[in-house]
Amino acid sequence: LGREQSGNLMSVGYDMYLKLLEEAVLEERGETPVRTEEVTADLVISANIPSYYVPAAEQRMDLYRRIAALRDNEGAAELTDELLDRYGDVPKAVTELLDVALLRSAAAKVGVCDITQRGTQLIFSFGPQPDIAAIAAAYRQRLQLSATAQPKLTLYLQPKEEALSAAGKLVEELALRHEEPAQTKAGNFKEEQP
């Protein structure tokens, strides 16, 4: 990269720089960049790539970028296989980092924009018009819905329940509920006869 680009890279960070570069290339081609909502996940877990596992900082940065871009289990499995081949057994911290990336991707698909852990509570913040009534009924005493400008759903963790696992289950439930209306519409669709 030239001096000007490197300066921009240093001021906005590697991931943001790559996004901006990709958007600029698409705009030059006359294509509309696809904007995806980023989900933040602030959980009390150790999710990182330890320096003893991947000693080179450049390789760790590249792996962080690739993990942040994961969108499905297939991609995570391929990356895990690559890590096994290159560096040996994958530490729990790296596995949890992969799980957090998948959680963030799944949460974005159902309208969650933030997942925050506060002690024994997981707080899910939603974008506009969330559809979470069925989830609240399913979890009854473990959920609290705050209907503010930005709706929030609080899940109370059970003793010894892992936050990452609980968050994943709730997002999975949201995804199932999110797909139900589309499946119902598809099932009720009848082709008109001329």
Side-chain angles (χ1 to χ4, degrees):
L1 297 174
R3 184 178 306 149
E4 184 177 325
Q5 288 87 355
S6 296
N8 291 338
L9 173 74
M10 297 303 224
S11 65
V12 298
Y14 185 67
D15 284 338
M16 179 59 77
Y17 180 78
L18 289 177
K19 283 183 186 178
L20 293 172
L21 186 62
E22 181 181 356
E23 287 177 9
V25 169
L26 288 173
E27 286 177 8
E28 282 296 314
R29 291 182 186 165
E31 300 173 25
T32 306
V34 178
R35 302 217 187 262
T36 57
E37 291 297 320
E38 290 296 320
V39 176
T40 57
D42 185 12
L43 304 174
V44 183
I45 59 171
S46 178
N48 60 64
I49 304 171
S51 59
Y52 69 82
Y53 185 62
V54 180
E58 299 84 21
Q59 291 174 345
R60 279 196 314 276
M61 289 302 294
D62 183 54
L63 286 172
Y64 278 120
R65 180 191 58 78
R66 291 176 60 196
I67 290 171
L70 286 176
R71 297 293 175 250
D72 56 34
N73 288 329
E74 183 180 315
E78 288 174 9
L79 187 54
T80 300
D81 287 344
E82 181 182 331
L83 291 171
L84 277 167
D85 289 344
R86 290 178 72 183
Y87 305 105
D89 290 337
V90 181
K92 183 178 180 181
V94 176
T95 303
E96 288 191 339
L97 184 62
L98 293 165
D99 290 343
V100 168
L102 293 174
L103 172 65
R104 291 175 61 216
S105 175
K109 292 175 185 173
V110 295
V112 174
C113 58
D114 179 68
I115 304 170
T116 302
Q117 181 178 1
R118 290 198 184 122
T120 60
Q121 298 176 2
L122 287 179
I123 302 164
F124 295 78
S125 298
F126 292 84
Q129 301 177 342
D131 182 19
I132 54 179
I135 299 301
Y139 280 78
R140 289 189 192 124
Q141 297 156 355
R142 293 185 60 201
L143 287 181
Q144 177 183 357
L145 175 62
S146 302
T148 57
Q150 182 182 30
K152 295 181 191 267
L153 188 64
T154 302
L155 172 64
Y156 295 90
L157 297 173
Q158 295 176 340
K160 297 185 181 181
E161 185 176 23
E162 292 184 12
L164 184 56
S165 175
K169 288 176 186 174
L170 183 63
V171 168
E172 191 175 301
E173 284 286 328
L174 287 167
L176 290 173
R177 304 287 183 208
H178 190 71
E179 291 172 1
E180 282 179 358
Q183 290 173 351
T184 303
K185 289 176 189 172
N188 293 336
F189 177 75
K190 294 180 181 175
E191 194 172 301
E192 292 183 22
Q193 299 292 327

mmCIF file of all heavy atoms in Angstrom, residues 7-34:
data_model
loop_
_atom_site.group_PDB
_atom_site.id
_atom_site.type_symbol
_atom_site.label_atom_id
_atom_site.label_comp_id
_atom_site.label_asym_id
_atom_site.label_seq_id
_atom_site.Cartn_x
_atom_site.Cartn_y
_atom_site.Cartn_z
ATOM 1 N N GLY A 7 -1.596 5.252 5.793
ATOM 2 C CA GLY A 7 -2.034 6.193 6.822
ATOM 3 C C GLY A 7 -3.498 5.988 7.148
ATOM 4 O O GLY A 7 -3.891 5.960 8.309
ATOM 5 N N ASN A 8 -4.336 5.813 6.107
ATOM 6 C CA ASN A 8 -5.754 5.559 6.335
ATOM 7 C C ASN A 8 -5.951 4.242 7.072
ATOM 8 O O ASN A 8 -6.777 4.141 7.960
ATOM 9 C CB ASN A 8 -6.520 5.520 5.007
ATOM 10 C CG ASN A 8 -6.586 6.883 4.359
ATOM 11 O OD1 ASN A 8 -6.435 7.898 5.023
ATOM 12 N ND2 ASN A 8 -6.785 6.900 3.054
ATOM 13 N N LEU A 9 -5.161 3.244 6.706
ATOM 14 C CA LEU A 9 -5.255 1.942 7.355
ATOM 15 C C LEU A 9 -4.984 2.072 8.843
ATOM 16 O O LEU A 9 -5.704 1.532 9.671
ATOM 17 C CB LEU A 9 -4.267 0.964 6.719
ATOM 18 C CG LEU A 9 -4.121 -0.397 7.381
ATOM 19 C CD1 LEU A 9 -5.346 -1.245 7.076
ATOM 20 C CD2 LEU A 9 -2.886 -1.094 6.881
ATOM 21 N N MET A 10 -3.946 2.818 9.201
ATOM 22 C CA MET A 10 -3.591 2.965 10.606
ATOM 23 C C MET A 10 -4.662 3.715 11.392
ATOM 24 O O MET A 10 -4.895 3.424 12.553
ATOM 25 C CB MET A 10 -2.257 3.699 10.754
ATOM 26 C CG MET A 10 -1.111 2.930 10.141
ATOM 27 S SD MET A 10 -1.003 1.301 10.876
ATOM 28 C CE MET A 10 0.721 1.198 11.130
ATOM 29 N N SER A 11 -5.347 4.657 10.763
ATOM 30 C CA SER A 11 -6.316 5.462 11.509
ATOM 31 C C SER A 11 -7.665 4.772 11.682
ATOM 32 O O SER A 11 -8.363 5.046 12.649
ATOM 33 C CB SER A 11 -6.507 6.829 10.842
ATOM 34 O OG SER A 11 -7.087 6.665 9.567
ATOM 35 N N VAL A 12 -8.070 3.870 10.770
ATOM 36 C CA VAL A 12 -9.391 3.251 10.887
ATOM 37 C C VAL A 12 -9.338 1.782 11.291
ATOM 38 O O VAL A 12 -10.361 1.205 11.634
ATOM 39 C CB VAL A 12 -10.220 3.378 9.582
ATOM 40 C CG1 VAL A 12 -10.473 4.817 9.240
ATOM 41 C CG2 VAL A 12 -9.577 2.636 8.434
ATOM 42 N N GLY A 13 -8.194 1.146 11.253
ATOM 43 C CA GLY A 13 -8.097 -0.269 11.604
ATOM 44 C C GLY A 13 -8.218 -1.152 10.376
ATOM 45 O O GLY A 13 -8.798 -0.773 9.361
ATOM 46 N N TYR A 14 -7.661 -2.333 10.496
ATOM 47 C CA TYR A 14 -7.556 -3.255 9.365
ATOM 48 C C TYR A 14 -8.913 -3.699 8.834
ATOM 49 O O TYR A 14 -9.177 -3.610 7.629
ATOM 50 C CB TYR A 14 -6.725 -4.471 9.794
ATOM 51 C CG TYR A 14 -6.430 -5.447 8.695
ATOM 52 C CD1 TYR A 14 -5.609 -5.094 7.635
ATOM 53 C CD2 TYR A 14 -6.966 -6.726 8.723
ATOM 54 C CE1 TYR A 14 -5.331 -5.990 6.632
ATOM 55 C CE2 TYR A 14 -6.692 -7.631 7.720
ATOM 56 C CZ TYR A 14 -5.869 -7.262 6.673
ATOM 57 O OH TYR A 14 -5.610 -8.153 5.677
ATOM 58 N N ASP A 15 -9.822 -4.171 9.712
ATOM 59 C CA ASP A 15 -11.124 -4.658 9.264
ATOM 60 C C ASP A 15 -11.934 -3.560 8.596
ATOM 61 O O ASP A 15 -12.508 -3.764 7.526
ATOM 62 C CB ASP A 15 -11.929 -5.228 10.431
ATOM 63 C CG ASP A 15 -11.441 -6.598 10.860
ATOM 64 O OD1 ASP A 15 -10.791 -7.282 10.041
ATOM 65 O OD2 ASP A 15 -11.704 -6.984 12.008
ATOM 66 N N MET A 16 -11.985 -2.387 9.228
ATOM 67 C CA MET A 16 -12.748 -1.278 8.664
ATOM 68 C C MET A 16 -12.142 -0.838 7.339
ATOM 69 O O MET A 16 -12.858 -0.552 6.381
ATOM 70 C CB MET A 16 -12.792 -0.108 9.646
ATOM 71 C CG MET A 16 -13.558 1.097 9.120
ATOM 72 S SD MET A 16 -15.271 0.742 8.710
ATOM 73 C CE MET A 16 -15.988 0.712 10.318
ATOM 74 N N TYR A 17 -10.826 -0.811 7.256
ATOM 75 C CA TYR A 17 -10.167 -0.438 6.013
ATOM 76 C C TYR A 17 -10.558 -1.397 4.890
ATOM 77 O O TYR A 17 -10.870 -0.965 3.778
ATOM 78 C CB TYR A 17 -8.645 -0.412 6.192
ATOM 79 C CG TYR A 17 -7.916 -0.023 4.922
ATOM 80 C CD1 TYR A 17 -7.843 1.296 4.528
ATOM 81 C CD2 TYR A 17 -7.329 -0.988 4.112
ATOM 82 C CE1 TYR A 17 -7.201 1.667 3.367
ATOM 83 C CE2 TYR A 17 -6.690 -0.637 2.942
ATOM 84 C CZ TYR A 17 -6.624 0.691 2.570
ATOM 85 O OH TYR A 17 -5.994 1.043 1.407
ATOM 86 N N LEU A 18 -10.549 -2.702 5.164
ATOM 87 C CA LEU A 18 -10.929 -3.676 4.147
ATOM 88 C C LEU A 18 -12.378 -3.483 3.708
ATOM 89 O O LEU A 18 -12.694 -3.580 2.518
ATOM 90 C CB LEU A 18 -10.710 -5.099 4.654
ATOM 91 C CG LEU A 18 -9.263 -5.543 4.795
ATOM 92 C CD1 LEU A 18 -9.193 -6.954 5.371
ATOM 93 C CD2 LEU A 18 -8.537 -5.490 3.460
ATOM 94 N N LYS A 19 -13.273 -3.188 4.652
ATOM 95 C CA LYS A 19 -14.673 -2.944 4.305
ATOM 96 C C LYS A 19 -14.807 -1.712 3.417
ATOM 97 O O LYS A 19 -15.521 -1.717 2.419
ATOM 98 C CB LYS A 19 -15.514 -2.752 5.567
ATOM 99 C CG LYS A 19 -15.841 -4.025 6.282
ATOM 100 C CD LYS A 19 -16.722 -3.729 7.468
ATOM 101 C CE LYS A 19 -16.939 -4.986 8.275
ATOM 102 N NZ LYS A 19 -17.750 -4.743 9.454
ATOM 103 N N LEU A 20 -14.134 -0.641 3.811
ATOM 104 C CA LEU A 20 -14.201 0.591 3.025
ATOM 105 C C LEU A 20 -13.630 0.384 1.631
ATOM 106 O O LEU A 20 -14.191 0.873 0.634
ATOM 107 C CB LEU A 20 -13.452 1.720 3.740
ATOM 108 C CG LEU A 20 -14.061 2.195 5.060
ATOM 109 C CD1 LEU A 20 -13.116 3.174 5.755
ATOM 110 C CD2 LEU A 20 -15.424 2.823 4.840
ATOM 111 N N LEU A 21 -12.524 -0.353 1.544
ATOM 112 C CA LEU A 21 -11.904 -0.639 0.251
ATOM 113 C C LEU A 21 -12.843 -1.459 -0.621
ATOM 114 O O LEU A 21 -13.032 -1.153 -1.807
ATOM 115 C CB LEU A 21 -10.569 -1.364 0.464
ATOM 116 C CG LEU A 21 -9.731 -1.621 -0.780
ATOM 117 C CD1 LEU A 21 -9.331 -0.313 -1.442
ATOM 118 C CD2 LEU A 21 -8.480 -2.427 -0.408
ATOM 119 N N GLU A 22 -13.470 -2.471 -0.052
ATOM 120 C CA GLU A 22 -14.411 -3.310 -0.800
ATOM 121 C C GLU A 22 -15.594 -2.481 -1.292
ATOM 122 O O GLU A 22 -16.019 -2.608 -2.436
ATOM 123 C CB GLU A 22 -14.894 -4.461 0.066
ATOM 124 C CG GLU A 22 -15.848 -5.392 -0.653
ATOM 125 C CD GLU A 22 -16.342 -6.526 0.229
ATOM 126 O OE1 GLU A 22 -15.894 -6.655 1.374
ATOM 127 O OE2 GLU A 22 -17.208 -7.282 -0.248
ATOM 128 N N GLU A 23 -16.138 -1.622 -0.426
ATOM 129 C CA GLU A 23 -17.258 -0.774 -0.830
ATOM 130 C C GLU A 23 -16.858 0.169 -1.963
ATOM 131 O O GLU A 23 -17.625 0.373 -2.904
ATOM 132 C CB GLU A 23 -17.767 0.030 0.364
ATOM 133 C CG GLU A 23 -18.527 -0.796 1.369
ATOM 134 C CD GLU A 23 -18.973 0.007 2.588
ATOM 135 O OE1 GLU A 23 -18.835 1.252 2.589
ATOM 136 O OE2 GLU A 23 -19.466 -0.627 3.537
ATOM 137 N N ALA A 24 -15.658 0.736 -1.883
ATOM 138 C CA ALA A 24 -15.191 1.655 -2.928
ATOM 139 C C ALA A 24 -15.043 0.927 -4.267
ATOM 140 O O ALA A 24 -15.427 1.458 -5.313
ATOM 141 C CB ALA A 24 -13.861 2.282 -2.513
ATOM 142 N N VAL A 25 -14.513 -0.289 -4.233
ATOM 143 C CA VAL A 25 -14.357 -1.068 -5.472
ATOM 144 C C VAL A 25 -15.718 -1.383 -6.073
ATOM 145 O O VAL A 25 -15.925 -1.237 -7.286
ATOM 146 C CB VAL A 25 -13.550 -2.366 -5.199
ATOM 147 C CG1 VAL A 25 -13.613 -3.306 -6.378
ATOM 148 C CG2 VAL A 25 -12.101 -2.038 -4.858
ATOM 149 N N LEU A 26 -16.684 -1.790 -5.245
ATOM 150 C CA LEU A 26 -18.024 -2.085 -5.747
ATOM 151 C C LEU A 26 -18.685 -0.848 -6.336
ATOM 152 O O LEU A 26 -19.340 -0.917 -7.381
ATOM 153 C CB LEU A 26 -18.898 -2.675 -4.628
ATOM 154 C CG LEU A 26 -18.564 -4.103 -4.211
ATOM 155 C CD1 LEU A 26 -19.382 -4.503 -2.983
ATOM 156 C CD2 LEU A 26 -18.832 -5.081 -5.344
ATOM 157 N N GLU A 27 -18.524 0.304 -5.682
ATOM 158 C CA GLU A 27 -19.111 1.539 -6.195
ATOM 159 C C GLU A 27 -18.492 1.933 -7.535
ATOM 160 O O GLU A 27 -19.184 2.404 -8.435
ATOM 161 C CB GLU A 27 -18.954 2.664 -5.170
ATOM 162 C CG GLU A 27 -19.900 2.521 -3.994
ATOM 163 C CD GLU A 27 -19.696 3.587 -2.933
ATOM 164 O OE1 GLU A 27 -18.916 4.541 -3.151
ATOM 165 O OE2 GLU A 27 -20.321 3.450 -1.863
ATOM 166 N N GLU A 28 -17.183 1.737 -7.684
ATOM 167 C CA GLU A 28 -16.512 2.033 -8.953
ATOM 168 C C GLU A 28 -17.039 1.139 -10.079
ATOM 169 O O GLU A 28 -17.100 1.560 -11.221
ATOM 170 C CB GLU A 28 -14.993 1.866 -8.824
ATOM 171 C CG GLU A 28 -14.305 3.021 -8.147
ATOM 172 C CD GLU A 28 -14.427 4.321 -8.929
ATOM 173 O OE1 GLU A 28 -14.207 4.313 -10.163
ATOM 174 O OE2 GLU A 28 -14.766 5.345 -8.318
ATOM 175 N N ARG A 29 -17.404 -0.073 -9.745
ATOM 176 C CA ARG A 29 -17.954 -1.008 -10.732
ATOM 177 C C ARG A 29 -19.426 -0.708 -11.023
ATOM 178 O O ARG A 29 -20.026 -1.340 -11.881
ATOM 179 C CB ARG A 29 -17.860 -2.439 -10.221
ATOM 180 C CG ARG A 29 -16.468 -2.980 -10.145
ATOM 181 C CD ARG A 29 -16.521 -4.418 -9.677
ATOM 182 N NE ARG A 29 -15.197 -4.953 -9.460
ATOM 183 C CZ ARG A 29 -14.944 -6.060 -8.796
ATOM 184 N NH1 ARG A 29 -15.929 -6.763 -8.269
ATOM 185 N NH2 ARG A 29 -13.717 -6.485 -8.644
ATOM 186 N N GLY A 30 -20.012 0.197 -10.267
ATOM 187 C CA GLY A 30 -21.418 0.519 -10.439
ATOM 188 C C GLY A 30 -22.340 -0.415 -9.676
ATOM 189 O O GLY A 30 -23.548 -0.419 -9.898
ATOM 190 N N GLU A 31 -21.785 -1.214 -8.783
ATOM 191 C CA GLU A 31 -22.574 -2.142 -7.987
ATOM 192 C C GLU A 31 -22.889 -1.509 -6.635
ATOM 193 O O GLU A 31 -22.142 -0.673 -6.143
ATOM 194 C CB GLU A 31 -21.808 -3.455 -7.775
ATOM 195 C CG GLU A 31 -21.473 -4.171 -9.062
ATOM 196 C CD GLU A 31 -20.569 -5.384 -8.846
ATOM 197 O OE1 GLU A 31 -20.582 -5.939 -7.728
ATOM 198 O OE2 GLU A 31 -19.863 -5.765 -9.787
ATOM 199 N N THR A 32 -23.992 -1.921 -6.048
ATOM 200 C CA THR A 32 -24.370 -1.415 -4.736
ATOM 201 C C THR A 32 -23.754 -2.289 -3.665
ATOM 202 O O THR A 32 -23.961 -3.504 -3.665
ATOM 203 C CB THR A 32 -25.903 -1.424 -4.570
ATOM 204 O OG1 THR A 32 -26.485 -0.700 -5.658
ATOM 205 C CG2 THR A 32 -26.315 -0.802 -3.252
ATOM 206 N N PRO A 33 -22.977 -1.691 -2.768
ATOM 207 C CA PRO A 33 -22.401 -2.494 -1.688
ATOM 208 C C PRO A 33 -23.481 -3.042 -0.761
ATOM 209 O O PRO A 33 -24.443 -2.345 -0.447
ATOM 210 C CB PRO A 33 -21.482 -1.532 -0.940
ATOM 211 C CG PRO A 33 -21.619 -0.211 -1.573
ATOM 212 C CD PRO A 33 -22.589 -0.300 -2.702
ATOM 213 N N VAL A 34 -23.323 -4.295 -0.354
ATOM 214 C CA VAL A 34 -24.255 -4.909 0.578
ATOM 215 C C VAL A 34 -23.830 -4.526 1.991
ATOM 216 O O VAL A 34 -22.713 -4.785 2.400
ATOM 217 C CB VAL A 34 -24.240 -6.452 0.426
ATOM 218 C CG1 VAL A 34 -25.179 -7.094 1.434
ATOM 219 C CG2 VAL A 34 -24.608 -6.844 -0.988
#
